[in-house]
Amino acid sequence: PPPPHAMAAAALRPAPSPVSCTQPLRPPPLQPSAATKVLAAAAVTAAARQRSAWSSGARHGRRGARRTARRLFGNLVDLTSSLVDTPSAQTQRRLAPLVEQIGALEDGMRALSDQAMVGAAASLRARAVGGESLDNLLPEAFALVREASRRSLGLR
């Protein structure tokens, strides 16, 4: 009998092709994969949503919704929108104290030498490992990184 590795090699060898040399070689017809079918279905769904958005007047995003609401409720929409902040305004108001703290540290960071900045970074790292709250370290760390960016990249 042939050795086992020869039998394994023979088993892995592809079977001869039933195509004769006189037939032109053509690739087999493509069958859509499951992923292709899912992507096609998603594209059809997105197109349907877009068509419905165009027909409902929401094509302008939030502005279109306001127009529709204004048609229904008149100036009541203007009154309520002046009372309720936009999400970006809420975020700005929430982060304003932090921005002020970082700005107050800017002059001190600008006065540091390069070696002092390395020492400040090591100090921050040690304080973080020591268990100090990261919220307390954030203003100083941000000011330090901003100054390093200003020195190395020229960007504030």
Side-chain angles (χ1 to χ4, degrees), residues 89-103:
Q90 292 172 357
T91 303
Q92 285 176 349
R93 191 173 51 250
R94 181 174 50 87
L95 295 177
L98 184 63
V99 171
E100 289 175 14
Q101 287 176 349
I102 294 168

Side-chain angles (χ1 to χ4, degrees), residues 16-79:
S17 174
V19 178
S20 70
C21 294
T22 59
Q23 293 177 339
L25 295 176
R26 289 190 199 113
L30 294 176
Q31 297 295 326
S33 66
T36 305
K37 290 177 184 176
V38 168
L39 287 174
V44 168
T45 304
R49 281 190 188 139
Q50 187 176 13
R51 279 194 303 274
S52 69
W54 278 92
S55 63
S56 69
R59 62 186 163 272
H60 298 293
R62 190 172 165 104
R63 191 175 69 209
R66 281 191 195 136
R67 286 181 184 163
T68 304
R70 184 166 289 123
R71 268 188 264 134
L72 294 174
F73 300 109
N75 291 332
L76 183 63
V77 174
D78 294 332
L79 177 66

Side-chain angles (χ1 to χ4, degrees), residues 140-156:
E140 190 176 344
F142 191 95
L144 187 65
V145 169
R146 185 166 69 178
E147 178 59 24
S149 171
R150 189 188 67 77
R151 290 181 188 188
S152 62
L153 302 174
L155 299 174
R156 184 170 175 261

Side-chain angles (χ1 to χ4, degrees), residues 106-117:
E106 184 173 10
D107 291 334
M109 294 295 170
R110 202 168 267 185
L112 293 177
S113 68
D114 290 344
Q115 291 300 322
M117 285 183 66

